[in-house]
């Protein structure tokens, strides 16, 4: 293998890395907002809201992310609306993340003993206060590690944004490989970059869990 061509593309790879990080952060924040709204609407809205909102969640979780990104990119174009590759990717990833994060939040809160809510309601407290003031604080120790673990997958999912033309790491690797005819070397480098982005988070998750376990705060380990 030859690596002499890499210094010429270090700036391009660095810029693509920043785009990948920015996209993952935007998607996590957007997904957190969407997921929180859905989760609390299902918890507070009763059975009717739960049955209505579970449909789009199942639809998003049951279809490939690659297809969802293509839809977010092609539908605005069909409606003669200009949309940048970054915005299309951010919208698709945010909604996809929102579906999963909503289940993490709902599952974490639902795992709290039902007696907590019954006691709050018996004392005359509202259902809203019970969820936000009593159940959510107890569920956070199990929610935080789950969301942190989900973010690792989200970083890797940004590689699918190449399909809408976003010049993130995977697309830049393809362009560099086509230009230099050195696909093995460049994809090894890109794999190392992804590992460097994900490894710190993978080490952080068990650290968070151990710290919470030492304090006796962890109630349940979530898997979505």
């Amino acid at each position: 293998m030859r690596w002499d061509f890499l210094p010429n593309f270090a700036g391009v790879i660095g810029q693509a890395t920043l785009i990948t990080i920015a996209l993952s952060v935007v998607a996590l924040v957007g997904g957190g907002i969407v997921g929180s709204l859905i989760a609390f609407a299902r918890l507070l809205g009763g059975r009717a809201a739960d049955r209505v909102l579970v449909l789009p969640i199942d639809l998003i979780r049951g279809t490939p992310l690659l297809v969802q990104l293509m839809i977010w990119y092609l539908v605005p174009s069909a409606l003669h609306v200009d949309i940048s590759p970054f915005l299309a990717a951010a919208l698709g990833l945010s909604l996809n993340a929102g579906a999963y994060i909503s289940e993490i939040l709902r599952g974490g809160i639902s795992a709290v003993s039902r007696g907590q809510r019954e006691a709050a309601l018996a004392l005359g407290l509202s259902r809203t206060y019970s969820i936000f003031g009593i159940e959510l604080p107890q569920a956070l120790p199990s929610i935080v590690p789950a969301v942190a673990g989900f973010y690792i997958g989200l970083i890797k999912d940004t590689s699918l944004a190449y399909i809408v033309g976003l010049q993130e790491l995977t697309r830049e690797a393809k362009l560099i490989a086509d230009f230099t005819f050195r696909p093995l070397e460049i994809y090894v480098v890109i794999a190392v970059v992804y590992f460097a982005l994900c490894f710190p988070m993978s080490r952080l998750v068990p650290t968070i869990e151990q710290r919470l376990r030492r304090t006796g705060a962890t109630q349940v380990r979530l898997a979505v």
Side-chain angles (χ1 to χ4, degrees):
M1 292 191 294
R2 292 174 42 230
W3 307 92
D4 56 320
F5 69 95
L6 285 176
N8 296 327
F9 298 96
V12 173
I13 296 174
Q15 184 176 4
T17 302
L18 293 178
I19 292 175
T20 294
I21 295 173
L23 180 59
S24 66
V25 171
V26 169
L28 180 65
V29 173
I33 294 172
V34 172
S36 297
L37 292 174
I38 293 175
F40 293 127
R42 291 180 65 186
L43 290 169
L44 294 171
R47 291 185 177 180
D50 183 65
R51 289 177 180 175
V52 170
L53 292 174
V54 76
L55 295 177
I57 291 176
D58 288 343
L59 178 62
I60 291 174
R61 297 180 66 183
T63 55
L65 176 56
L66 190 69
V67 175
Q68 297 173 31
L69 292 174
M70 285 300 298
I71 290 174
W72 276 103
Y73 186 69
L74 295 175
V75 169
S77 299
L79 299 175
H80 306 290
V81 176
D82 291 331
I83 185 171
S84 68
F86 186 90
L87 180 57
L91 289 172
L93 286 168
S94 294
L95 286 181
N96 185 271
Y100 286 92
I101 291 176
S102 71
E103 288 297 286
I104 292 174
L105 291 172
R106 189 185 65 84
I109 294 175
S110 298
V112 177
S113 173
R114 188 177 181 86
Q116 300 279 347
R117 182 179 303 177
E118 293 175 349
L121 296 178
L123 292 173
L125 301 175
S126 67
R127 184 184 181 91
T128 301
Y129 181 85
S130 174
I131 290 177
F132 286 97
I134 299 176
E135 297 168 62
L136 179 59
Q138 296 182 65
L140 282 178
S142 59
I143 291 173
V144 172
V147 173
F150 175 79
Y151 181 59
I152 297 173
L154 185 59
I155 293 175
K156 293 180 287 187
D157 285 343
T158 60
S159 62
L160 297 177
Y162 81 91
I163 197 67
V164 298
L166 182 65
Q167 291 182 301
E168 42 69 57
L169 278 170
T170 302
R171 183 170 177 83
E172 285 296 351
K174 176 66 166 56
L175 295 175
I176 295 173
D178 291 343
F179 183 78
T180 62
F181 300 103
R182 309 301 301 179
L184 177 57
E185 289 89 337
I186 188 59
Y187 281 114
V188 168
V189 171
I190 296 305
V192 170
V193 174
Y194 275 115
F195 177 78
L197 294 177
C198 296
F199 182 73
M201 289 297 301
S202 68
R203 294 297 88 202
L204 181 62
V205 172
T207 299
I208 294 174
E209 290 181 333
Q210 291 173 7
R211 183 167 299 179
L212 293 173
R213 193 176 295 114
R214 284 198 300 268
T215 63
T218 301
Q219 297 178 11
V220 62
R221 183 173 182 173
L222 299 179
V224 179

